[in-house]
Amino acid sequence: MRTPPAHVAPPDRARKRRRLARITLASAVVAALAGSGIYIAGAQAEEVAVPGRVQAEAFAAQSGAQTEGTGDADGGRNVGWLASGDWLRYDGVSISGVDLTARVASLNTAGGAVELRLGAQNGQLLASFPIAGTGGWQKWKTVTAKASAVPAGPQTVFAVMKSTSTSDFVNLNWFTFGPAAGTSPSASATPSTSAAPSATPSSSPSASPSSSVPPGAPAGAWVPVDQAKWSRELAAFNAITPKAVPPGTTRVPEFHTDCGVANSAPDDPIVLPGLSGASHMHTFFGPKIDAFTTTDKLFAAANTCNAPGDKSAYWTPELRKDGKAVPIKSMRIYYGSRVKDPSTVKPFPPGLVVVEGDAKRQVDTPKNAGSNQFWCAGSAEIGRSADGNWPKCAPGGNLIFQLVFKDCWDGKNIDSPDHKSHMGDPVNGVCTGKYPVAVPDLSFMVNYESLGGDGLSLSSGKPSSMHGDFMNAWEPERLGDLVKSCLNQNAKCGIDTTFAAADTASVCDGRPPCPGRGGRPSSHPT
């Protein structure tokens, strides 16, 4: 019996449905994004195959999509999280007639269209399906369109989303390209019977143990930690004798590293491994990064971070002013603890990669809008940009952003389908349940050579799309010493186990997440 879809869209999908801009490629297999990320599969055992239908999730490449279990009559999965500008690519499509259909659902009254184009995103328009609200994200309707031509032979077809809405506006379940004699894309010609992994981490994920995500590997798999290596590192950590904390030390669990800009590139080796130029522009801190970077490679790379032993990589979307990159004033990464008992914090496992924030989140962030706020450091805010999203800083200050990562680990996986689901938040100050292992609370403090105001944008879009990526490549003995001496002992350190006295501590300016985040100020001098 087919089970109902696990995903129910919240009222404000633009804020609450997690979405990642990514492009995944497949040939003999299909790369499809599960409800909380990506998995590798061909067809679902629960799906009823219907001749002539091209399942929406059988794409060969995509941008902006995720898949979820469908409530439609034939079962299987549908593609959702589709907003204007997103696209799906289908290879080897045979178009056998002018009468085309699409199975759609929508809870967005703005509507729009799904354009079918040949060969490229801006290629010849084959047909356009009108999209209107159907009454729900799982309320399905078949819409029709007429093909402008019936080209001979297998075609590459792009389904391109068009809407005036800035949020998700359509779910897709399947297409037909003429009578039932039409064939499905070659990517689904050899379906796998493998079941998709659950959104809950399995104790034996399908991926082979690895300390890094290899280039060219399918994006978005559960990647289990190398348990033997992790056990060795944990044993060495437990054997460390912490450095004695002198009187007068600030009792805040914290250390940090300062990193310079290494390079900028339209690459993302976590979300889009092995796909050069497939991402929006990123600013990389620490080592020089490209699409083929792995955690293993970082240990041998030159690094701009000043904490001894930190070979890690950090990156954020590029900030632009009138289309030109805004220089970075400084980048400081804080490592702290927000659990009740910081003595429970363990070092990061080998090869851990994490993404925080949502590149697809495109909502306005006026003053006092809450999270995802840029603000002024070192001077007062004296106004806002014309669109209200960016502060204007008084002379002497600069634009700043603080991005705080999750700090409870599932204890099993160093990566997950959405690069987030292997990490969670403390519950009542304790890492428990699915996320039982407390690790350092990572926080990016990005200072820009800018007074804010008009003309600003991120390479990923609005300020709400601010996000960060982390690849752990700390030398285990160095990280272990900092965690054991500084975090576990609730003591403030610098870039090493030199303790900071109370009279040198910064004062929180009252902005979140200072309270409950290890007491870290949101305007630390960097």
Side-chain angles (χ1 to χ4, degrees):
M1 181 177 72
R2 177 173 55 80
T3 56
H7 179 81
V8 178
D12 187 354
R13 298 172 73 243
R15 288 181 177 269
K16 297 182 180 178
R17 295 190 82 174
R18 293 177 297 168
R19 306 180 58 211
L20 292 174
R22 64 185 70 181
I23 306 170
T24 59
L25 302 178
S27 52
V29 296
V30 176
L33 288 155
S36 62
I38 310 176
Y39 69 93
I40 303 301
Q44 311 304 308
E46 65 186 12
E47 184 175 301
V48 178
V50 178
R53 285 185 183 173
V54 173
Q55 295 297 327
E57 69 270 22
F59 46 75
Q62 60 83 19
S63 176
Q66 294 187 27
T67 71
E68 61 187 346
T70 188
D72 205 1
D74 297 320
R77 306 191 72 79
N78 65 258
V79 179
W81 288 266
L82 294 170
S84 189
D86 293 342
W87 54 264
L88 307 166
R89 193 191 86 204
Y90 302 92
D91 294 340
V93 177
S94 293
I95 302 169
S96 57
V98 296
D99 295 315
L100 314 183
T101 62
R103 189 72 166 169
V104 305
S106 176
L107 192 59
N108 188 327
T109 57
V114 177
E115 296 181 349
L116 299 182
R117 293 186 174 271
L118 298 178
Q121 291 171 251
N122 58 353
Q124 177 187 338
L125 181 65
L126 176 69
S128 181
F129 294 106
I131 305 299
T134 63
W137 296 114
Q138 292 296 326
K139 298 290 186 181
W140 294 95
K141 178 181 179 181
T142 301
V143 294
T144 62
K146 291 285 187 180
S148 60
V150 183
Q155 302 292 317
T156 295
V157 176
F158 281 77
V160 182
M161 312 306 140
K162 299 288 185 180
S163 177
T164 58
S165 174
T166 58
S167 60
D168 309 336
F169 78 97
V170 65
N171 284 358
L172 296 172
N173 194 14
W174 47 257
F175 299 97
T176 66
F177 293 86
T183 58
S184 297
S186 58
S188 58
T190 310
S192 164
T193 57
S194 301
S198 166
T200 302
S202 167
S203 59
S204 56
S206 58
S208 301
S210 171
S211 62
S212 63
V213 181
W222 288 104
V223 180
V225 67
D226 184 332
Q227 287 290 352
K229 186 174 183 180
W230 171 231
S231 295
R232 290 193 301 269
E233 292 187 7
L234 201 55
F237 168 74
N238 290 332
I240 293 174
T241 299
K243 187 175 179 180
V245 181
T249 297
T250 301
R251 286 300 185 168
V252 171
E254 178 184 296
F255 61 92
H256 67 262
T257 185
D258 298 308
C259 300
V261 174
N263 68 302
S264 297
D267 292 345
D268 192 325
I270 294 178
V271 176
L272 300 166
L275 299 177
S276 297
S279 177
H280 49 261
M281 190 68 73
H282 283 108
T283 303
F284 296 99
F285 304 89
K288 186 176 181 180
I289 296 295
D290 61 26
F292 297 91
T293 298
T294 66
T295 52
D296 286 337
K297 290 181 178 180
L298 294 178
F299 287 98
N303 195 294
T304 66
C305 298
N306 66 353
D310 184 14
K311 299 290 187 178
S312 302
Y314 313 86
W315 61 94
T316 61
E318 183 179 80
L319 179 66
R320 295 165 175 168
K321 174 80 169 181
D322 298 326
K324 296 181 179 180
V326 174
I328 300 294
K329 182 177 182 180
S330 65
M331 166 65 150
R332 174 166 285 189
I333 299 96
Y334 284 95
Y335 291 80
S337 174
R338 55 177 180 164
V339 297
K340 289 180 180 178
D341 183 3
S343 70
T344 62
V345 176
K346 308 297 182 187
F348 293 120
L352 181 74
V353 297
V354 186
V355 174
E356 182 60 44
D358 188 350
K360 295 292 288 184
R361 189 170 185 262
Q362 304 291 334
V363 298
D364 288 336
T365 51
K367 187 175 183 178
N368 300 322
S371 61
N372 291 319
Q373 284 281 292
F374 285 77
W375 73 87
C376 299
S379 72
E381 179 180 315
I382 56 175
R384 303 290 288 185
S385 59
D387 62 10
N389 289 325
W390 302 92
K392 293 181 180 179
C393 305
N398 66 273
L399 199 65
I400 188 172
F401 193 95
Q402 181 176 17
L403 182 70
V404 180
F405 286 64
K406 292 178 171 56
D407 53 345
C408 294
W409 176 47
D410 70 4
K412 302 173 183 178
N413 302 290
I414 56 172
D415 197 7
S416 54
D418 60 358
H419 315 293
K420 301 178 183 181
S421 293
H422 54 308
M423 303 296 294
D425 292 305
V427 178
N428 297 321
V430 179
C431 291
T432 186
K434 294 181 181 179
Y435 308 103
V437 183
V439 294
D441 182 24
L442 190 66
S443 178
F444 290 5
M445 296 289 290
V446 194
N447 281 272
Y448 298 93
E449 293 283 6
S450 172
L451 292 176
D454 294 327
L456 289 172
S457 66
L458 292 171
S459 58
S460 53
K462 292 184 177 181
S464 57
S465 70
M466 183 65 170
H467 57 283
D469 298 55
F470 168 61
M471 274 186 156
N472 174 40
W474 274 90
E475 294 174 359
E477 62 277 10
R478 294 280 195 174
L479 179 62
D481 190 31
L482 285 162
V483 171
K484 181 64 72 79
S485 295
C486 307
L487 302 191
N488 288 174
Q489 297 191 115
N490 194 35
K492 180 179 174 64
C493 297
I495 62 173
D496 54 23
T497 53
T498 300
F499 297 102
D503 59 0
T504 65
S506 302
V507 178
C508 180
D509 67 357
R511 290 183 177 275
C514 294
R517 296 274 181 167
R520 285 171 302 173
S522 55
S523 58
H524 276 289
T526 56

